[in-house]
Structures are given as C-alpha cells and as structure tokens.
Amino acid sequence: GAVVSQHPSRVICKSGTSVKIECRSLDFQATTMFWYRQFPKQSLMLMATSNEGSKATYEQGVEKDKFLINHASLTLSTLTVTSAHPEDSSFYICSAVAESSYEQYFGPGTRLTVT
Amino acid sequence: KQEVTQIPAALSVPEGENLVLNCSFTDSAIYNLQWFRQDPGKGLTSLLLIQSSQREQTSGRLNASLDKSSGRSTLYIAASQPGDSATYLCAVRQLGYSTLTFGKGTMLLVSP
C-alpha cells in the first residue's frame, strides 16, 4: 500500500527556535497533503491543506505566519513551526491524498516538545 | 458543518468477543468514509474505505458498513485479539471537499 513518511519522528527544541517537519509520499505522487495536530486523547485537528505549487490553505484559528507550509514537489511537504513556544508542543501528523482513489494515507507523526 | 460522533468512547472486552463500533455523521452528502486505527503515539493506519455508493467493505476480521441516508457506519471486529487494542477513528469526506472530518475515536482494549 501507499506509504507516507515523516521526519523527524521526535524533536525537542528550546522556546523561540524554529523546527521543520518533513512529510513525504514514498511511492505515489500527491498534489494535496494535509497537516493535522493532535492533543492527548483528542482527535485530529486539521491545520492546513497543502497544495503542490501553490499557497497552503489554513483552517480558521491557525496562524499562517507561525506554521509555514511549503509543498515544493509532488512528494514532499514541509511544516515549519516558527518561534516555537511550549504550547506548540503536540503530535503533528501529515497525510497525502492518492489521486487515483482519493484515499488519504497518514504519516507516522512527529512528537514536538518545546522546552 | 459536518459533525462525526463515535460511540462508545471506550470499550473493554475479553479476547474472542465479536464487537461493533459505531460512527454517525450529521451531513449525508459524503464522498466516502474511512475507518482508521491509531496505536498510542503513532500515526493512523487506514483499515477500510467505503465509497458513498457502497454499503460495506470487508478486510479479514473487519467489516465496515455504511448507511448514508441515516448517517451511520459501523465497524465490526470478529473474534477480537489483544493486538486489536488501539483507538479506532472514523472520518468522512464531504462531497466537493478534499478534507476529512474525524470523530473523537473509540479506545478499544482487548484483554487476554
């Protein structure tokens, strides 16, 4: 089946620094990828829709200047958390849409801890 | 606005039991519905995808049904095993949209 990878799987950073998370579709092309955030024991909250070659579409309440998304190729999207604060600590998950079936495949997630 | 509800929020059963997880959604204009499994601290694994024109999908011990008109889906797990312990999430895709709306999940514990 389709595989989506994320890197890194875990990251600890200091408050005020920036962190970049990569999401790759390994064996299929994805013109659309999504970034989600998940708090403990909660469901996934959609942050933004990443479209290859164009600007991301952010959900209401998500700061686009804080969560920078770049989708430079059909297999790679990146999420950069700028000037991270402890409240940004969360589990970030990406997904990629297989255009043939419109099924979403999810990455393994990245645990971000801001100290 | 689409809302997805999953019942129960948590379920604990002994090994070997057959069980049913429920998912309901408020807007029946959906493109498809997916069931996912999430292990603690991990990403999501797609279990079954049902297109809006389909009534059910089966994979091994799993069977998912869809009644679009009533806004309901069920995930049936036969002969449960301890390895089935995880959180099960239901998500729907609206017609005309590429995003998924998720329920809060059912946390399943199967004890040996």
Side-chain angles (χ1 to χ4, degrees), chain A residues 34 38 43 91 102-104 108, chain B residues 31 38 43 46 93 98 100 103:
Chain A
F34 299 98
Q38 187 178 34
S43 192
F91 194 56
Y102 290 108
E103 186 168 354
Q104 280 196 36
Chain B
Y31 187 83
Q38 185 177 30
S46 180
R93 181 183 172 188
S98 55
L100 292 176

Side-chain angles (χ1 to χ4, degrees), chain B residues 35-61:
Chain B
W35 282 93
F36 295 90
R37 169 187 173 137
Q38 185 177 30
D39 293 287
K42 304 292 184 182
L44 275 66
T45 300
S46 180
L47 298 173
L48 291 164
L49 178 145
I50 310 177
Q51 303 292 350
S52 62
S53 58
Q54 297 175 323
R55 299 280 296 182
E56 67 177 341
Q57 282 286 339
T58 298
S59 176
R61 294 183 294 108

Side-chain angles (χ1 to χ4, degrees), chain A:
Chain A
V3 178
V4 176
S5 70
Q6 276 185 246
H7 178 79
S9 58
R10 287 180 178 272
V11 57
I12 301 173
C13 71
K14 293 185 177 181
S15 187
T17 61
S18 295
V19 175
K20 180 185 284 188
I21 303 170
E22 292 187 349
C23 176
R24 294 182 184 272
S25 56
L26 297 185
D27 48 5
F28 66 100
Q29 292 185 331
T31 56
T32 303
M33 292 184 174
F34 299 98
W35 287 96
Y36 296 84
R37 183 173 181 175
Q38 187 178 34
F39 293 103
K41 297 187 179 180
Q42 296 293 318
S43 192
L44 279 70
M45 181 192 79
L46 179 66
M47 298 176 65
T49 301
S50 172
N51 297 298
E52 187 268 337
S54 64
K55 291 184 178 180
T57 303
Y58 290 82
E59 295 300 301
Q60 191 173 7
V62 178
E63 299 176 59
K64 62 179 181 180
D65 294 330
K66 180 168 186 61
F67 299 100
L68 301 178
I69 292 173
N70 182 273
H71 194 153
S73 77
L74 288 172
T75 59
L76 174 64
S77 176
T78 61
L79 168 67
T80 301
V81 182
T82 63
S83 187
H85 289 282
E87 57 264 32
D88 298 325
S89 299
S90 189
F91 194 56
Y92 293 87
I93 304 177
C94 74
S95 71
V97 179
E99 299 303 327
S100 58
S101 64
Y102 290 108
E103 186 168 354
Q104 280 196 36
Y105 295 94
F106 285 77
T110 296
R111 172 73 59 191
L112 170 63
T113 302
V114 185
T115 60

